[in-house]
Amino acid sequence: MKTDSIIAYYDGLCPICVHEMKVYVRRGQGRVLLHDVNGDIPDDIDRQAALDALWVRKSDGALVTGWDAFIAIWERSPGFGWLAALTRPTVIKWPLDKLYRFLAPYRPRRKCADGACDLQS
């Protein structure tokens, strides 16, 4: 784990989320680590809150969520820094965060069969 690594707490039952997070892992070159919130999670993260929006633990231990979580990921993923810089100003970030939190509950999710899920991280 690199010293500037972050951990993205994401919904591993969401195919779109899984695909997107894998892109960041490939691009992040060890600076973006994944943790599926459908499995064990740290005590300081509420599972439902983490299912409602992306969460990231920054290298200093601070937790950020929503659009700030995406910005933290983009800052560590080569090729996405411009997107972090573009959406960081509050006047842009605030409406994007509101839109993300409104749309996130409508994302597709795989269903568990017989009470067992195939969890990916």
Side-chain angles (χ1 to χ4, degrees):
M1 183 163 123
K2 297 185 180 201
T3 58
D4 64 341
S5 294
I6 59 171
I7 302 171
Y9 296 93
Y10 76 106
D11 182 0
L13 295 178
C14 164
I16 294 170
C17 307
V18 169
H19 176 73
E20 183 177 4
M21 291 299 124
K22 285 182 179 181
V23 169
Y24 301 140
V25 166
R26 274 195 314 273
R27 289 286 193 88
Q29 304 167 346
R31 290 184 297 261
V32 178
L33 308 173
L34 300 182
H35 190 108
D36 184 350
V37 298
N38 293 289
D40 292 333
I41 57 174
D43 292 338
D44 60 344
I45 296 177
D46 176 76
R47 185 178 317 280
Q48 189 56 54
L51 287 169
D52 289 343
L54 178 65
W55 283 62
V56 163
R57 184 175 309 278
K58 297 170 77 171
S59 56
D60 66 359
L63 286 167
V64 293
T65 185
W67 206 261
D68 285 322
F70 284 103
I71 289 172
I73 291 170
W74 295 334
E75 289 173 337
R76 284 154 187 86
S77 301
F80 289 96
W82 67 272
L83 196 50
L86 178 69
T87 64
R88 190 176 298 110
T90 303
V91 69
I92 296 169
K93 181 175 62 176
W94 186 84
L96 290 174
D97 186 66
K98 295 296 181 197
L99 181 63
Y100 165 69
R101 290 175 189 274
F102 174 76
L103 294 174
Y106 298 104
R107 71 191 180 281
R109 294 192 84 224
R110 289 191 335 263
K111 303 292 184 215
C112 298
D114 299 326
C117 296
D118 176 22
L119 298 178
Q120 300 176 2
S121 57

